[in-house]
Amino acid sequence: MNATLKSKLRRELRARRQSLSEDQQTIAAKQLTQRLIRLAAFRHARHVAAYIASDGEISPAPLLRFAKLNAKHCYLPKISRSATSNSMTFYPYHHRQALGPNRYGIGEPAGLRRQPRVPRKLDIVLLPLTGFDKHGRRLGMGGGYYDRAFAFKRTYKVRKPIMIGLAHQCQEVNSLPTDHWDIPLDFIVTDRQVIKVKKR
Ligand SMILES: Nc1nc2c(c(=O)[nH]1)N(C=O)[C@@H](CNc1ccc(C(=O)N[C@@H](CCC(=O)O)C(=O)O)cc1)CN2
Ligand SMILES: Nc1ncnc2c1ncn2[C@@H]1O[C@H](COP(=O)(O)OP(=O)(O)OP(=O)(O)O)[C@@H](O)[C@H]1O
């Protein structure tokens, strides 16, 4: 039931972000950066995970440059497929890091010489949203990668990492369906606003 609804919404919301022009994307990414760098959660973070934008997603690239200049350690997700599950690992994103496309065509660290960082040792995770509502519910790309990698946050009720969903303002919807495995967000930041999610 939820799955059909989620996939219909996903199609609609992906079309919305894909229709933004290059200029709109550039401006949105800068505005997003300005909002994020004011957040205490970001200022205090030493280990920051983000992503390489694809499919019209709002880009954390200018934020990553700022984070690097401020001596923060940055990480990018890399996905892998095994016989039993699809998982995601976070690798350091350093200067001149080689990137290669994953099976969805998204850039991810390639030619790895460094060790990944375990998810619970990240301070903040900036994750891409396909959709969100004002209550802080999220819709991802449907792979369940973030839900699985951070399922420990639901199980152990730990504070870290702080989960911050990033999206274009045009990806807001009135209400989203939720499933029990959806990991809760702490903040949603768009080019226009910061939502601090209330604990449920
Ligand atoms: N930039 C970025 N990196 C990321 C993610 C992401 O959402 N954005 N991921 C976050 O998980 C992981 C990759 N997950 C993905 C999962 C599904 C599809 C995808 O395109 N799936 C279907 C459509 C699904 C649907 O509409 O129901 C497709 O192949 O077209 C892409 C990425 C890791 N890296
Ligand atoms: N903790 C988990 N353990 C096992 N399977 C899970 C877990 N969390 C989610 N899944 C599976 O992942 C699939 C995708 O879930 P959903 O549609 O909510 O993805 P999403 O939140 O949009 O994706 P993402 O987390 O990659 O952004 C579901 O079929 C679900 O069964």
Short mmCIF file of all heavy atoms in Angstrom, two decimals, residues 26-90:
data_model
loop_
_atom_site.label_atom_id
_atom_site.label_comp_id
_atom_site.label_asym_id
_atom_site.label_seq_id
_atom_site.Cartn_x
_atom_site.Cartn_y
_atom_site.Cartn_z
N THR A 26 22.48 26.28 -8.97
CA THR A 26 23.66 26.93 -8.38
C THR A 26 23.26 27.84 -7.23
O THR A 26 23.88 27.82 -6.16
CB THR A 26 24.39 27.77 -9.47
OG1 THR A 26 24.62 26.90 -10.58
CG2 THR A 26 25.70 28.31 -8.97
N ILE A 27 22.21 28.63 -7.45
CA ILE A 27 21.73 29.55 -6.41
C ILE A 27 21.24 28.77 -5.20
O ILE A 27 21.57 29.09 -4.05
CB ILE A 27 20.64 30.49 -6.97
CG1 ILE A 27 21.24 31.42 -8.04
CG2 ILE A 27 19.98 31.31 -5.86
CD1 ILE A 27 20.21 32.15 -8.89
N ALA A 28 20.45 27.73 -5.46
CA ALA A 28 19.89 26.92 -4.36
C ALA A 28 21.00 26.31 -3.51
O ALA A 28 20.93 26.32 -2.27
CB ALA A 28 18.99 25.83 -4.92
N ALA A 29 22.05 25.81 -4.15
CA ALA A 29 23.15 25.17 -3.41
C ALA A 29 23.86 26.20 -2.52
O ALA A 29 24.25 25.89 -1.40
CB ALA A 29 24.13 24.52 -4.39
N LYS A 30 23.99 27.44 -3.02
CA LYS A 30 24.63 28.49 -2.21
C LYS A 30 23.75 28.87 -1.02
O LYS A 30 24.25 29.07 0.09
CB LYS A 30 24.89 29.73 -3.07
CG LYS A 30 26.09 29.57 -3.97
CD LYS A 30 26.41 30.87 -4.69
CE LYS A 30 27.52 30.65 -5.70
NZ LYS A 30 27.49 31.64 -6.77
N GLN A 31 22.45 29.00 -1.27
CA GLN A 31 21.53 29.35 -0.18
C GLN A 31 21.49 28.26 0.88
O GLN A 31 21.46 28.54 2.08
CB GLN A 31 20.13 29.62 -0.74
CG GLN A 31 20.09 30.93 -1.53
CD GLN A 31 18.79 31.13 -2.29
OE1 GLN A 31 18.14 30.16 -2.67
NE2 GLN A 31 18.43 32.38 -2.52
N LEU A 32 21.53 27.02 0.42
CA LEU A 32 21.55 25.88 1.34
C LEU A 32 22.80 25.96 2.23
O LEU A 32 22.72 25.78 3.45
CB LEU A 32 21.58 24.59 0.51
CG LEU A 32 21.74 23.29 1.31
CD1 LEU A 32 20.37 22.80 1.77
CD2 LEU A 32 22.41 22.21 0.49
N THR A 33 23.93 26.26 1.61
CA THR A 33 25.20 26.36 2.35
C THR A 33 25.11 27.41 3.45
O THR A 33 25.50 27.16 4.59
CB THR A 33 26.35 26.70 1.38
OG1 THR A 33 26.32 25.77 0.31
CG2 THR A 33 27.70 26.65 2.06
N GLN A 34 24.56 28.59 3.10
CA GLN A 34 24.43 29.67 4.08
C GLN A 34 23.61 29.23 5.29
O GLN A 34 23.91 29.59 6.41
CB GLN A 34 23.79 30.91 3.43
CG GLN A 34 24.71 31.61 2.44
CD GLN A 34 26.09 31.88 3.03
OE1 GLN A 34 26.22 32.43 4.12
NE2 GLN A 34 27.13 31.44 2.33
N ARG A 35 22.53 28.46 5.05
CA ARG A 35 21.70 28.02 6.17
C ARG A 35 22.41 26.96 7.00
O ARG A 35 22.36 26.97 8.23
CB ARG A 35 20.37 27.46 5.66
CG ARG A 35 19.54 28.55 4.98
CD ARG A 35 18.13 28.11 4.69
NE ARG A 35 17.53 29.05 3.76
CZ ARG A 35 17.13 30.26 4.08
NH1 ARG A 35 17.22 30.67 5.33
NH2 ARG A 35 16.64 31.07 3.18
N LEU A 36 23.07 26.04 6.31
CA LEU A 36 23.73 24.94 7.03
C LEU A 36 24.89 25.40 7.90
O LEU A 36 25.06 24.90 9.01
CB LEU A 36 24.25 23.91 6.02
CG LEU A 36 23.26 22.83 5.62
CD1 LEU A 36 23.79 22.08 4.41
CD2 LEU A 36 23.04 21.84 6.76
N ILE A 37 25.68 26.35 7.39
CA ILE A 37 26.88 26.72 8.16
C ILE A 37 26.53 27.48 9.44
O ILE A 37 27.36 27.63 10.32
CB ILE A 37 27.92 27.50 7.32
CG1 ILE A 37 27.37 28.84 6.83
CG2 ILE A 37 28.38 26.66 6.14
CD1 ILE A 37 28.38 29.62 5.97
N ARG A 38 25.28 27.94 9.55
CA ARG A 38 24.86 28.61 10.79
C ARG A 38 24.38 27.62 11.85
O ARG A 38 24.20 27.99 13.00
CB ARG A 38 23.71 29.58 10.49
CG ARG A 38 24.20 30.80 9.77
CD ARG A 38 23.12 31.88 9.76
NE ARG A 38 23.44 32.82 8.72
CZ ARG A 38 22.73 32.99 7.61
NH1 ARG A 38 21.62 32.31 7.44
NH2 ARG A 38 23.11 33.85 6.71
N LEU A 39 24.11 26.40 11.44
CA LEU A 39 23.60 25.41 12.40
C LEU A 39 24.70 24.96 13.35
O LEU A 39 25.79 24.57 12.92
CB LEU A 39 23.10 24.16 11.67
CG LEU A 39 21.74 24.13 11.01
CD1 LEU A 39 21.45 22.72 10.52
CD2 LEU A 39 20.67 24.57 12.00
N ALA A 40 24.40 24.97 14.65
CA ALA A 40 25.38 24.53 15.65
C ALA A 40 25.82 23.09 15.36
O ALA A 40 27.00 22.76 15.49
CB ALA A 40 24.78 24.64 17.04
N ALA A 41 24.87 22.26 14.93
CA ALA A 41 25.19 20.86 14.63
C ALA A 41 26.29 20.76 13.58
O ALA A 41 27.17 19.91 13.66
CB ALA A 41 23.95 20.11 14.16
N PHE A 42 26.26 21.65 12.61
CA PHE A 42 27.30 21.66 11.59
C PHE A 42 28.59 22.26 12.13
O PHE A 42 29.68 21.71 11.94
CB PHE A 42 26.85 22.42 10.34
CG PHE A 42 27.94 22.52 9.30
CD1 PHE A 42 28.24 21.45 8.47
CD2 PHE A 42 28.71 23.68 9.19
CE1 PHE A 42 29.28 21.53 7.54
CE2 PHE A 42 29.75 23.77 8.26
CZ PHE A 42 30.03 22.69 7.44
N ARG A 43 28.47 23.37 12.83
CA ARG A 43 29.68 24.05 13.34
C ARG A 43 30.48 23.16 14.28
O ARG A 43 31.70 23.17 14.28
CB ARG A 43 29.30 25.37 14.00
CG ARG A 43 28.97 26.45 12.94
CD ARG A 43 28.90 27.84 13.53
NE ARG A 43 27.58 28.12 14.07
CZ ARG A 43 27.31 28.25 15.36
NH1 ARG A 43 28.27 28.15 16.26
NH2 ARG A 43 26.08 28.50 15.76
N HIS A 44 29.77 22.36 15.09
CA HIS A 44 30.47 21.51 16.05
C HIS A 44 30.94 20.18 15.46
O HIS A 44 31.68 19.45 16.11
CB HIS A 44 29.56 21.23 17.25
CG HIS A 44 29.24 22.48 18.02
ND1 HIS A 44 28.06 22.65 18.71
CD2 HIS A 44 29.94 23.63 18.19
CE1 HIS A 44 28.05 23.85 19.25
NE2 HIS A 44 29.17 24.46 18.96
N ALA A 45 30.48 19.86 14.25
CA ALA A 45 30.81 18.56 13.67
C ALA A 45 32.25 18.49 13.19
O ALA A 45 32.76 19.44 12.61
CB ALA A 45 29.87 18.26 12.51
N ARG A 46 32.90 17.35 13.43
CA ARG A 46 34.25 17.15 12.89
C ARG A 46 34.21 16.16 11.73
O ARG A 46 35.01 16.22 10.83
CB ARG A 46 35.19 16.63 13.99
CG ARG A 46 35.50 17.70 15.04
CD ARG A 46 36.63 17.26 15.96
NE ARG A 46 37.83 16.94 15.21
CZ ARG A 46 38.50 15.79 15.32
NH1 ARG A 46 38.08 14.87 16.14
NH2 ARG A 46 39.59 15.58 14.60
N HIS A 47 33.27 15.21 11.78
CA HIS A 47 33.17 14.19 10.74
C HIS A 47 31.81 14.30 10.06
O HIS A 47 30.78 14.02 10.67
CB HIS A 47 33.37 12.80 11.35
CG HIS A 47 34.73 12.64 11.96
ND1 HIS A 47 35.82 12.24 11.23
CD2 HIS A 47 35.18 12.87 13.21
CE1 HIS A 47 36.89 12.22 12.01
NE2 HIS A 47 36.53 12.60 13.22
N VAL A 48 31.85 14.73 8.80
CA VAL A 48 30.63 15.08 8.07
C VAL A 48 30.45 14.18 6.84
O VAL A 48 31.33 14.13 5.98
CB VAL A 48 30.75 16.55 7.57
CG1 VAL A 48 29.52 16.97 6.77
CG2 VAL A 48 30.97 17.50 8.75
N ALA A 49 29.30 13.50 6.75
CA ALA A 49 29.03 12.71 5.54
C ALA A 49 28.07 13.48 4.65
O ALA A 49 27.12 14.10 5.14
CB ALA A 49 28.42 11.36 5.91
N ALA A 50 28.33 13.47 3.34
CA ALA A 50 27.43 14.14 2.39
C ALA A 50 27.28 13.22 1.17
O ALA A 50 27.34 11.99 1.32
CB ALA A 50 27.98 15.50 2.02
N TYR A 51 27.07 13.76 0.00
CA TYR A 51 26.86 12.95 -1.20
C TYR A 51 27.19 13.80 -2.42
O TYR A 51 27.35 15.02 -2.30
CB TYR A 51 25.39 12.46 -1.25
CG TYR A 51 24.40 13.61 -1.24
CD1 TYR A 51 23.93 14.18 -2.43
CD2 TYR A 51 23.94 14.16 -0.04
CE1 TYR A 51 23.04 15.26 -2.41
CE2 TYR A 51 23.06 15.22 -0.01
CZ TYR A 51 22.61 15.77 -1.20
OH TYR A 51 21.75 16.84 -1.19
N ILE A 52 27.33 13.14 -3.56
CA ILE A 52 27.54 13.85 -4.83
C ILE A 52 26.16 13.95 -5.48
O ILE A 52 25.51 12.92 -5.72
CB ILE A 52 28.50 13.06 -5.77
CG1 ILE A 52 29.87 12.86 -5.11
CG2 ILE A 52 28.62 13.76 -7.13
CD1 ILE A 52 30.74 14.09 -4.99
N ALA A 53 25.71 15.17 -5.76
CA ALA A 53 24.35 15.35 -6.27
C ALA A 53 24.15 14.68 -7.62
O ALA A 53 25.05 14.64 -8.46
CB ALA A 53 24.02 16.83 -6.37
N SER A 54 22.94 14.17 -7.82
CA SER A 54 22.57 13.50 -9.06
C SER A 54 21.06 13.69 -9.23
O SER A 54 20.37 14.03 -8.27
CB SER A 54 22.95 12.02 -8.90
OG SER A 54 22.03 11.16 -9.48
N ASP A 55 20.55 13.53 -10.44
CA ASP A 55 19.10 13.51 -10.64
C ASP A 55 18.40 14.81 -10.21
O ASP A 55 17.23 14.80 -9.84
CB ASP A 55 18.54 12.31 -9.84
CG ASP A 55 17.11 11.95 -10.19
OD1 ASP A 55 16.85 11.69 -11.38
OD2 ASP A 55 16.25 11.97 -9.30
N GLY A 56 19.13 15.94 -10.22
CA GLY A 56 18.52 17.21 -9.82
C GLY A 56 18.53 17.47 -8.32
O GLY A 56 17.96 18.46 -7.86
N GLU A 57 19.18 16.60 -7.55
CA GLU A 57 19.28 16.79 -6.08
C GLU A 57 19.98 18.12 -5.78
O GLU A 57 20.85 18.55 -6.53
CB GLU A 57 20.11 15.67 -5.45
CG GLU A 57 19.42 14.33 -5.42
CD GLU A 57 20.37 13.19 -5.08
OE1 GLU A 57 21.60 13.35 -5.19
OE2 GLU A 57 19.87 12.12 -4.73
N ILE A 58 19.65 18.71 -4.65
CA ILE A 58 20.36 19.93 -4.23
C ILE A 58 21.80 19.52 -3.90
O ILE A 58 22.02 18.47 -3.28
CB ILE A 58 19.63 20.64 -3.07
CG1 ILE A 58 20.13 22.08 -2.95
CG2 ILE A 58 19.75 19.87 -1.75
CD1 ILE A 58 19.17 23.01 -2.23
N SER A 59 22.75 20.34 -4.35
CA SER A 59 24.15 19.93 -4.24
C SER A 59 24.84 20.40 -2.96
O SER A 59 24.88 21.60 -2.67
CB SER A 59 24.93 20.44 -5.44
OG SER A 59 26.30 20.14 -5.27
N PRO A 60 25.45 19.46 -2.22
CA PRO A 60 26.23 19.86 -1.04
C PRO A 60 27.67 20.25 -1.42
O PRO A 60 28.48 20.48 -0.53
CB PRO A 60 26.22 18.61 -0.16
CG PRO A 60 25.71 17.50 -1.00
CD PRO A 60 25.38 18.01 -2.36
N ALA A 61 27.98 20.36 -2.73
CA ALA A 61 29.38 20.63 -3.14
C ALA A 61 29.96 21.91 -2.51
O ALA A 61 31.05 21.86 -1.96
CB ALA A 61 29.49 20.65 -4.66
N PRO A 62 29.24 23.06 -2.56
CA PRO A 62 29.84 24.25 -1.93
C PRO A 62 30.01 24.08 -0.42
O PRO A 62 30.97 24.61 0.15
CB PRO A 62 28.86 25.39 -2.24
CG PRO A 62 27.72 24.81 -2.98
CD PRO A 62 27.98 23.36 -3.25
N LEU A 63 29.12 23.34 0.19
CA LEU A 63 29.23 23.10 1.63
C LEU A 63 30.47 22.24 1.93
O LEU A 63 31.19 22.47 2.90
CB LEU A 63 27.99 22.40 2.17
CG LEU A 63 28.13 22.17 3.67
CD1 LEU A 63 27.67 23.40 4.42
CD2 LEU A 63 27.44 20.94 4.13
N LEU A 64 30.72 21.24 1.08
CA LEU A 64 31.89 20.37 1.28
C LEU A 64 33.17 21.18 1.17
O LEU A 64 34.12 20.96 1.93
CB LEU A 64 31.87 19.21 0.27
CG LEU A 64 30.91 18.08 0.60
CD1 LEU A 64 30.86 17.06 -0.54
CD2 LEU A 64 31.30 17.38 1.90
N ARG A 65 33.20 22.15 0.24
CA ARG A 65 34.39 23.00 0.11
C ARG A 65 34.60 23.80 1.39
O ARG A 65 35.70 23.90 1.91
CB ARG A 65 34.25 23.95 -1.09
CG ARG A 65 34.51 23.25 -2.43
CD ARG A 65 34.71 24.25 -3.55
NE ARG A 65 33.48 24.97 -3.89
CZ ARG A 65 32.56 24.52 -4.74
NH1 ARG A 65 32.71 23.35 -5.32
NH2 ARG A 65 31.48 25.23 -5.00
N PHE A 66 33.50 24.36 1.92
CA PHE A 66 33.56 25.13 3.16
C PHE A 66 34.04 24.24 4.32
O PHE A 66 34.90 24.63 5.11
CB PHE A 66 32.19 25.72 3.46
CG PHE A 66 32.13 26.55 4.72
CD1 PHE A 66 32.32 27.92 4.68
CD2 PHE A 66 31.90 25.94 5.95
CE1 PHE A 66 32.27 28.68 5.85
CE2 PHE A 66 31.85 26.69 7.12
CZ PHE A 66 32.04 28.06 7.06
N ALA A 67 33.48 23.03 4.38
CA ALA A 67 33.82 22.10 5.46
C ALA A 67 35.31 21.76 5.43
O ALA A 67 35.99 21.77 6.45
CB ALA A 67 32.98 20.84 5.34
N LYS A 68 35.82 21.51 4.21
CA LYS A 68 37.25 21.19 4.04
C LYS A 68 38.12 22.35 4.51
O LYS A 68 39.11 22.14 5.23
CB LYS A 68 37.54 20.92 2.56
CG LYS A 68 37.12 19.54 2.13
CD LYS A 68 38.26 18.58 2.40
CE LYS A 68 37.86 17.16 2.15
NZ LYS A 68 38.67 16.24 2.94
N LEU A 69 37.75 23.55 4.10
CA LEU A 69 38.52 24.74 4.49
C LEU A 69 38.53 24.90 6.00
O LEU A 69 39.44 25.49 6.57
CB LEU A 69 37.92 26.00 3.85
CG LEU A 69 38.18 26.16 2.36
CD1 LEU A 69 37.39 27.35 1.81
CD2 LEU A 69 39.67 26.34 2.08
N ASN A 70 37.49 24.39 6.66
CA ASN A 70 37.39 24.50 8.10
C ASN A 70 37.87 23.22 8.81
O ASN A 70 37.48 22.94 9.94
CB ASN A 70 35.96 24.85 8.51
CG ASN A 70 35.68 26.31 8.22
OD1 ASN A 70 35.94 27.17 9.04
ND2 ASN A 70 35.21 26.60 7.01
N ALA A 71 38.70 22.46 8.09
CA ALA A 71 39.38 21.29 8.65
C ALA A 71 38.45 20.19 9.15
O ALA A 71 38.78 19.44 10.07
CB ALA A 71 40.34 21.72 9.77
N LYS A 72 37.26 20.10 8.54
CA LYS A 72 36.37 19.00 8.91
C LYS A 72 36.71 17.81 8.02
O LYS A 72 37.16 17.99 6.88
CB LYS A 72 34.91 19.40 8.71
CG LYS A 72 34.48 20.53 9.66
CD LYS A 72 33.01 20.82 9.53
CE LYS A 72 32.61 22.14 10.18
NZ LYS A 72 32.71 22.14 11.65
N HIS A 73 36.49 16.61 8.53
CA HIS A 73 36.71 15.40 7.73
C HIS A 73 35.41 15.10 7.00
O HIS A 73 34.35 15.06 7.63
CB HIS A 73 37.07 14.22 8.63
CG HIS A 73 38.32 14.46 9.43
ND1 HIS A 73 39.57 14.26 8.91
CD2 HIS A 73 38.49 14.91 10.69
CE1 HIS A 73 40.47 14.57 9.83
NE2 HIS A 73 39.84 14.97 10.92
N CYS A 74 35.50 14.92 5.69
CA CYS A 74 34.28 14.68 4.89
C CYS A 74 34.27 13.26 4.32
O CYS A 74 35.32 12.69 4.04
CB CYS A 74 34.21 15.69 3.76
SG CYS A 74 34.14 17.39 4.37
N TYR A 75 33.06 12.74 4.16
CA TYR A 75 32.89 11.35 3.69
C TYR A 75 31.78 11.30 2.64
O TYR A 75 30.85 12.10 2.66
CB TYR A 75 32.49 10.43 4.87
CG TYR A 75 33.50 10.48 5.98
CD1 TYR A 75 33.45 11.51 6.93
CD2 TYR A 75 34.54 9.55 6.04
CE1 TYR A 75 34.41 11.60 7.93
CE2 TYR A 75 35.50 9.65 7.04
CZ TYR A 75 35.43 10.67 7.98
OH TYR A 75 36.39 10.76 8.95
N LEU A 76 31.91 10.30 1.73
CA LEU A 76 30.88 10.07 0.72
C LEU A 76 30.43 8.62 0.78
O LEU A 76 31.24 7.73 1.09
CB LEU A 76 31.45 10.35 -0.68
CG LEU A 76 31.76 11.80 -1.04
CD1 LEU A 76 32.42 11.85 -2.41
CD2 LEU A 76 30.48 12.65 -1.01
N PRO A 77 29.16 8.37 0.45
CA PRO A 77 28.67 6.99 0.48
C PRO A 77 29.13 6.20 -0.73
O PRO A 77 29.29 6.76 -1.82
CB PRO A 77 27.15 7.15 0.46
CG PRO A 77 26.91 8.45 -0.22
CD PRO A 77 28.10 9.32 0.09
N LYS A 78 29.35 4.91 -0.51
CA LYS A 78 29.67 3.98 -1.59
C LYS A 78 28.77 2.78 -1.36
O LYS A 78 28.70 2.27 -0.24
CB LYS A 78 31.14 3.61 -1.50
CG LYS A 78 31.65 2.79 -2.67
CD LYS A 78 33.14 2.57 -2.54
CE LYS A 78 33.68 1.58 -3.56
NZ LYS A 78 33.67 2.10 -4.93
N ILE A 79 28.09 2.35 -2.41
CA ILE A 79 27.16 1.23 -2.21
C ILE A 79 27.77 -0.08 -2.70
O ILE A 79 28.65 -0.08 -3.57
CB ILE A 79 25.80 1.47 -2.91
CG1 ILE A 79 25.99 1.75 -4.40
CG2 ILE A 79 25.06 2.62 -2.26
CD1 ILE A 79 24.67 1.86 -5.16
N SER A 80 27.33 -1.17 -2.12
CA SER A 80 27.80 -2.47 -2.61
C SER A 80 26.66 -3.46 -2.52
O SER A 80 25.74 -3.31 -1.72
CB SER A 80 29.00 -2.95 -1.80
OG SER A 80 28.61 -3.12 -0.48
N ARG A 81 26.76 -4.45 -3.37
CA ARG A 81 25.70 -5.45 -3.44
C ARG A 81 26.27 -6.80 -3.04
O ARG A 81 27.28 -7.22 -3.58
CB ARG A 81 25.16 -5.49 -4.86
CG ARG A 81 24.03 -6.43 -5.01
CD ARG A 81 23.18 -6.23 -6.21
NE ARG A 81 23.83 -5.73 -7.42
CZ ARG A 81 23.15 -5.52 -8.52
NH1 ARG A 81 21.87 -5.72 -8.56
NH2 ARG A 81 23.76 -5.08 -9.59
N SER A 82 25.64 -7.45 -2.10
CA SER A 82 26.09 -8.80 -1.76
C SER A 82 24.92 -9.73 -2.03
O SER A 82 23.84 -9.28 -2.43
CB SER A 82 26.48 -8.87 -0.29
OG SER A 82 25.33 -8.93 0.50
N ALA A 83 25.13 -11.01 -1.80
CA ALA A 83 24.08 -11.98 -2.09
C ALA A 83 22.83 -11.70 -1.25
O ALA A 83 21.71 -11.93 -1.68
CB ALA A 83 24.59 -13.38 -1.83
N THR A 84 23.06 -11.19 -0.04
CA THR A 84 21.92 -11.03 0.87
C THR A 84 21.41 -9.60 1.03
O THR A 84 20.26 -9.41 1.40
CB THR A 84 22.29 -11.57 2.27
OG1 THR A 84 23.55 -11.01 2.63
CG2 THR A 84 22.38 -13.07 2.28
N SER A 85 22.28 -8.61 0.80
CA SER A 85 21.76 -7.26 1.00
C SER A 85 22.55 -6.21 0.21
O SER A 85 23.67 -6.45 -0.24
CB SER A 85 21.83 -6.89 2.48
OG SER A 85 23.16 -6.61 2.83
N ASN A 86 21.93 -5.05 0.06
CA ASN A 86 22.58 -3.91 -0.55
C ASN A 86 23.00 -3.01 0.59
O ASN A 86 22.17 -2.59 1.37
CB ASN A 86 21.61 -3.15 -1.45
CG ASN A 86 21.19 -3.98 -2.65
OD1 ASN A 86 21.96 -4.80 -3.13
ND2 ASN A 86 19.98 -3.78 -3.10
N SER A 87 24.30 -2.71 0.69
CA SER A 87 24.72 -1.89 1.82
C SER A 87 25.45 -0.64 1.35
O SER A 87 25.78 -0.49 0.17
CB SER A 87 25.58 -2.70 2.76
OG SER A 87 26.75 -3.10 2.08
N MET A 88 25.71 0.24 2.29
CA MET A 88 26.33 1.53 1.99
C MET A 88 27.42 1.79 3.04
O MET A 88 27.19 1.57 4.23
CB MET A 88 25.26 2.61 2.05
CG MET A 88 25.73 3.99 1.69
SD MET A 88 24.34 5.12 1.43
CE MET A 88 23.69 5.26 3.08
N THR A 89 28.58 2.25 2.58
CA THR A 89 29.73 2.50 3.47
C THR A 89 30.21 3.92 3.19
O THR A 89 30.05 4.41 2.08
CB THR A 89 30.86 1.50 3.11
OG1 THR A 89 30.28 0.24 2.86
CG2 THR A 89 31.86 1.36 4.22
N PHE A 90 30.81 4.57 4.20
CA PHE A 90 31.27 5.95 4.03
C PHE A 90 32.79 6.04 3.96
O PHE A 90 33.47 5.65 4.92
CB PHE A 90 30.71 6.83 5.15
CG PHE A 90 29.23 7.00 5.03
CD1 PHE A 90 28.37 6.08 5.61
CD2 PHE A 90 28.69 8.05 4.29
CE1 PHE A 90 26.98 6.20 5.45
CE2 PHE A 90 27.32 8.18 4.13
CZ PHE A 90 26.47 7.26 4.71
#
